[in-house]
Amino acid sequence: MKQHIIALAAGIALMTSCGSVAIPDTYTEANSLPTIYPDYTNVTVPVNIAPLTFQMDPAAEEMVARLSTGDEEIICGGTQVIPDEDDWRRLAEKASGKAIKVDVYANGEGGWKHYKPFEIYVSPDSIDPYISYRLIAPSYISYEELTISQRCLENYDESVIYDNVLCNTEKQGQCINCHSYQNYNPERMQFHARQNLGGTVIAYDGTIKKINMKNDSILSAGVYPAWHPWLKLIAYATDKTHQSFHVTDRNKIEVFDTSSDLILYNPDKNEVTNLENDPDEFEVFPAWAPDGKTLYYCSAHFVKNDSTKSESNDIVSRYREIKYNIYKKSFDPETWQIGPRELVFDAAARDSSATWPRISPDGRFLVFTMGEFGYFHIWHRDADLWMMDLQTGEVRQMSELNSPNTESYHSWSSNGRWMVFSSRRDDGGFTRPFIAHIDANGRAGKPFELPSAYPDYHRQLLKSYNIPEFMRGPVTIKPQTFADVLKTNGEPPVVYVDSIRP
């Protein structure tokens, strides 16, 4: 459904207008930039992005904004600035490689004020037309009310890929997660369903099947998938996951594994092999390099106590000791032979924990999330984005992207010039997608919040966005089709083999 339909409110015609609006005749000059929401002051945006809408924060009685470049301009007024899509597209194309100047006038106590102008830099680097994400309430008891949704970045169209409720019953619920695509291709995707009618759904060039991946030789069904860039091969983690809830800690919840391994899965042969299964290592978050010759992943060394404590209680009492490092393994795409593990980044030596490695499409930069401990950094307020230059080995904190709150779940655009990530910077409670330009040297511009048809859409939505992923186009398979596949028994459990093969 389109955002402008679900966000429509009474009296919206009085809130904004871009036609007969005029700049106020009299006003005073303010010695500051306007405080607007979302904060689009001096950001860099792709030339094909949807119009940026915004409002004063707190809201003004009335405002007028002039957006201009060269001899092209848009003037909008009301209580919100909502440019017409066609007008915005013409303006952005004219400003490509340059900037849009924004003058804001707001009417409040003391009359009209003209604020210092700011610029919106328009990069000629386009962005993939779609992203997808999990929309979930930030509650521990309503996780079954969630969707995997997709959004067109060139306008505000949003639609559901799959909805949990399609397979829920009065007594049995479902939890969907781990949506993933092969090389940004929406026709080659997978997601996993837990609980009722659980299984892994794999869609590949028009065929859809459900896999029951559980096997006596592996810990669990596959999670955190990583498609090989072109081979029909998926790396997964398998795990035994637990949660703990805090009463006074600022991090409300801790998610941790009591065991975790890595596997490789060949969908054509329905075969799986253990890739890493050291009982003293928690291996997780596989990620392929774009050339298909290296598999990165995270692993934490943790020796369980030989005591009367249960396995989970032992980890609960020591969870701050768990520190993940980043490793890699070589891979031969011709023979599917896999090399030994090599240390890439020793986060534990910094008394920290590194997770979610993602490699730029040119293979040069590795971006990861780092926090004090653990691996489920979406719940850790200290989690920040870091970058490693794989050519030089330099590692730096991406201060231009980070905030005092959580940054996590990042992914690269297909051209390597944009990154989308989840952040709790707005209010500390909800993760929302932010997008930033990344230049050829790995430097990021100021991130901007995913544009919406109305500026306060995200504040009204009250949902968190998890795992935003870029896509070259939309998923066209209907949600009910996925539900019908999930309602089948699926293919038998996978066959365990000693080594994966083409």
Side-chain angles (χ1 to χ4, degrees):
M1 120 180 14
K2 294 185 177 181
Q3 282 194 25
H4 70 264
I5 294 176
I6 60 175
L8 190 61
I12 197 68
L14 301 176
M15 295 171 64
T16 182
S17 174
C18 292
S20 59
V21 180
I23 302 299
D25 293 327
T26 58
Y27 50 83
T28 59
E29 293 286 351
N31 193 31
S32 62
L33 292 172
T35 303
I36 60 174
Y37 176 78
D39 179 11
Y40 292 137
T41 59
N42 302 320
V43 297
T44 299
V45 302
V47 65
N48 60 326
I49 197 68
L52 305 189
T53 67
F54 60 90
Q55 64 188 39
M56 295 296 291
D57 192 24
E61 295 176 11
E62 189 178 3
M63 64 184 297
V64 172
R66 175 169 55 201
L67 293 75
S68 61
T69 186
D71 58 357
E72 195 85 33
E73 72 173 21
I74 304 171
I75 299 178
C76 296
T79 59
Q80 298 177 327
V81 173
I82 304 179
D84 175 80
E85 287 188 31
D86 292 335
D87 291 343
W88 170 268
R89 190 170 294 109
R90 284 192 294 270
L91 190 69
E93 289 174 355
K94 188 74 176 285
S96 180
K98 297 174 289 187
I100 297 171
K101 179 183 177 183
V102 184
D103 284 280
V104 173
Y105 304 77
N107 189 16
E109 186 176 346
W112 284 94
K113 287 184 180 179
H114 174 223
Y115 291 86
K116 281 187 173 181
F118 63 88
E119 292 186 317
I120 297 171
Y121 304 100
V122 181
S123 171
D125 297 323
S126 61
I127 198 167
D128 296 294
Y130 275 80
I131 59 171
S132 60
Y133 37 77
R134 230 175 29 143
L135 281 177
I136 182 169
S139 166
Y140 314 129
I141 58 174
S142 60
Y143 67 92
E144 292 173 349
E145 297 177 10
L146 61 90
T147 64
I148 300 174
S149 296
Q150 59 189 351
R151 160 72 194 276
C152 179
L153 294 177
E154 297 177 339
N155 54 46
Y156 309 117
D157 291 353
E158 184 181 54
S159 59
V160 171
I161 296 175
Y162 180 72
D163 192 327
N164 239 16
V165 301
L166 294 175
C167 285
N168 279 1
T169 67
E170 185 177 351
K171 295 183 178 180
Q172 293 180 301
Q174 192 179 74
C175 176
I176 48 172
N177 52 49
C178 299
H179 58 281
S180 176
Y181 308 89
Q182 185 179 49
N183 199 24
Y184 308 92
N185 187 345
E187 296 184 0
R188 297 178 177 181
M189 70 166 296
Q190 75 102 72
F191 66 89
H192 188 70
R194 297 181 188 267
Q195 298 173 245
N196 185 45
L197 301 171
T200 299
V201 175
I202 298 177
Y204 201 91
D205 293 349
T207 64
I208 312 173
K209 60 182 180 180
K210 174 183 174 182
I211 305 296
N212 295 317
M213 199 171 286
K214 291 183 179 180
N215 184 285
D216 291 341
S217 299
I218 58 178
L219 291 174
S220 69
V223 293
Y224 309 124
W227 288 83
H228 188 274
W230 68 88
L231 295 174
K232 207 167 181 183
L233 177 67
I234 309 174
Y236 290 98
T238 60
D239 61 0
K240 294 181 179 179
T241 303
H242 287 258
Q243 298 180 6
S244 290
F245 298 90
H246 299 296
V247 176
T248 59
D249 196 289
R250 67 176 189 155
N251 297 323
K252 296 181 174 62
I253 183 173
E254 187 62 35
V255 180
F256 56 89
D257 287 336
T258 59
S259 296
S260 183
D261 295 331
L262 292 183
I263 62 171
L264 286 177
Y265 175 60
N266 182 336
D268 281 340
K269 295 180 180 292
N270 199 30
E271 291 179 345
V272 66
T273 187
N274 275 309
L275 185 61
E276 285 284 318
N277 61 349
D278 187 327
D280 294 333
E281 294 284 334
F282 293 162
E283 301 97 350
V284 73
F285 295 144
W288 291 98
D291 65 3
K293 296 179 180 179
T294 307
L295 180 67
Y296 292 84
Y297 64 97
C298 300
S299 184
H301 185 71
F302 186 84
V303 179
K304 295 157 190 169
N305 284 332
D306 184 14
S307 68
T308 56
K309 284 185 179 179
S310 70
E311 188 176 65
S312 59
N313 285 342
D314 180 26
I315 293 176
V316 167
S317 64
R318 301 169 57 203
Y319 69 91
R320 289 181 177 271
E321 299 176 22
I322 303 176
K323 317 277 185 176
Y324 285 80
N325 296 324
I326 300 176
Y327 295 88
K328 68 179 180 180
K329 282 177 170 288
S330 63
F331 176 79
D332 187 332
E334 297 294 327
T335 64
W336 292 27
Q337 293 300 302
I338 302 161
R341 84 170 189 172
E342 303 173 52
L343 181 65
V344 176
F345 178 66
D346 191 345
R350 301 182 179 216
D351 199 25
S352 297
S353 185
T355 64
W356 205 257
R358 289 292 181 269
I359 302 87
S360 60
D362 64 3
R364 179 176 173 183
F365 300 109
L366 185 156
V367 173
F368 57 95
T369 302
M370 190 152 71
E372 182 184 350
F373 58 86
Y375 83 106
F376 220 74
H377 284 149
I378 187 67
W379 288 110
H380 292 183
R381 290 178 180 265
D382 69 323
D384 283 331
L385 297 178
W386 288 65
M387 173 180 281
M388 170 180 276
D389 187 327
L390 294 174
Q391 289 182 358
T392 66
E394 176 192 3
V395 177
R396 69 175 185 89
Q397 190 174 26
M398 300 186 76
S399 56
E400 64 271 41
L401 297 187
N402 294 323
S403 73
N405 221 305
T406 306
E407 269 72 52
S408 65
Y409 289 151
H410 48 280
S411 66
W412 293 88
S413 66
S414 62
N415 62 6
R417 286 294 171 260
W418 302 95
M419 178 165 285
V420 62
F421 60 96
S422 294
S423 177
R424 295 189 194 271
R425 68 186 61 200
D426 280 344
D427 51 31
F430 296 87
T431 52
R432 296 180 178 119
F434 281 75
I435 300 170
H437 184 259
I438 311 292
D439 69 18
N441 296 314
R443 291 290 165 177
K446 179 181 176 179
F448 63 94
E449 189 169 315
L450 175 69
S452 299
Y454 298 105
D456 56 351
Y457 174 75
H458 287 135
R459 287 176 171 175
Q460 296 181 23
L461 180 63
L462 304 183
K463 290 285 183 73
S464 280
Y465 292 73
N466 284 357
I467 314 183
E469 293 281 348
F470 283 108
M471 308 144 69
R472 298 183 191 273
V475 174
T476 57
I477 300 167
K478 296 184 181 303
Q480 188 59 55
T481 302
F482 282 129
D484 291 342
V485 170
L486 276 168
K487 290 174 182 176
T488 67
N489 291 327
E491 292 192 10
V494 296
V495 177
Y496 175 75
V497 292
D498 292 331
S499 61
I500 204 73
R501 51 190 173 167

